Amino acid sequence: MTTVLLVHTVPLWRASLASLLGTGRGIEVRTAEHGAIRAALSGPGPDVLLTDLDCPGVLDVLDEVRTMTAPRGGPYPLAVLTRSDRPRGLRRAYEAGALGYIDKYRPVDDLSEVMHKLADGGRHIDESLAFSLLQVADMPLSPRELSVLSMAEGGDTVAGIAARLHLTPGTVRNYLAAAIRKSGARNRLDAIRRAKEAGWI
């Protein structure tokens, strides 16, 4: 029996996904909302953590999962439901150590097999996501640099970004300078253009 902890903040989607997973052979499904993951992990832990990269608050979920250790040692096997046009979420999932990348538009008939494979220590990447994941793995910007650049792309000033992220303006300028340097750009606008063309923001 493979136990899957499904983390999702939208009740209807969470119930629907749990119902779908529960039809799989040898699958037990538990569910949790964002903020209740640690409580759901008390007692015998799940074999796989599954979340949706379109789920509100999912980046916080990924950050929380990164800090958790499974009872047998090491991180919990993490799987994400995603799409190829979600590079930022893919990047964060990659950094969180996700072992499973499942295309939301794939057939569902072998989803339980994917869960069993991950529980046994394997990896799974749907072919439709492989190229996007490769691009993400090669992205040079850190999550903070990417976040600052994304806010700048949205029109925020340095002072505005600093206020939103609780940073000093000087720190924000340093992040922007690093993003410009790492992307090989000439200036901020060029860095934003390159990041958008690469699908990073």
Side-chain angles (χ1 to χ4, degrees), residues 105-194:
Y105 294 102
R106 76 194 307 275
V108 299
D109 51 357
D110 66 339
L111 196 54
S112 61
E113 294 177 20
V114 173
M115 296 298 105
H116 291 309
K117 179 180 178 181
L118 294 172
D120 289 339
R123 294 175 178 267
H124 177 84
I125 302 172
D126 278 338
E127 186 177 347
S128 55
L129 301 174
F131 181 70
S132 295
L133 187 59
L134 180 62
Q135 287 182 309
V136 162
D138 290 339
M139 185 178 70
L141 306 186
S142 71
R144 182 64 83 178
E145 291 160 358
L146 190 64
S147 178
V148 167
L149 194 62
S150 179
M151 290 181 187
E153 189 271 337
D156 284 4
T157 63
V158 168
I161 295 171
R164 287 177 63 184
L165 297 179
H166 307 289
L167 301 171
T168 66
T171 300
V172 171
R173 290 190 190 94
N174 288 339
Y175 281 127
L176 286 171
I180 292 167
R181 184 183 71 254
K182 289 182 178 180
S183 62
R186 298 184 302 275
N187 52 44
R188 186 186 310 178
L189 290 177
D190 190 34
I192 290 170
R193 178 186 62 80
R194 292 181 181 220

Side-chain angles (χ1 to χ4, degrees), residues 31-79:
T31 63
E33 299 181 34
H34 167 46
I37 303 174
R38 292 186 186 278
L41 293 175
S42 61
D47 299 300
V48 180
L49 290 176
L50 176 65
T51 192
D52 181 349
L53 290 188
D54 286 330
C55 169
V58 71
L59 298 185
D60 292 333
V61 170
L62 295 177
D63 287 341
E64 188 173 0
V65 169
R66 290 178 69 175
T67 68
M68 297 176 179
T69 302
R72 59 182 178 234
Y76 281 95
L78 171 65

Side-chain angles (χ1 to χ4, degrees), residues 53-54 82-91 132 136 199:
L53 290 188
D54 286 330
T82 187
R83 305 182 317 200
S84 60
D85 61 349
R86 291 289 186 267
R88 189 176 183 192
L90 274 171
R91 168 75 173 186
S132 295
V136 162

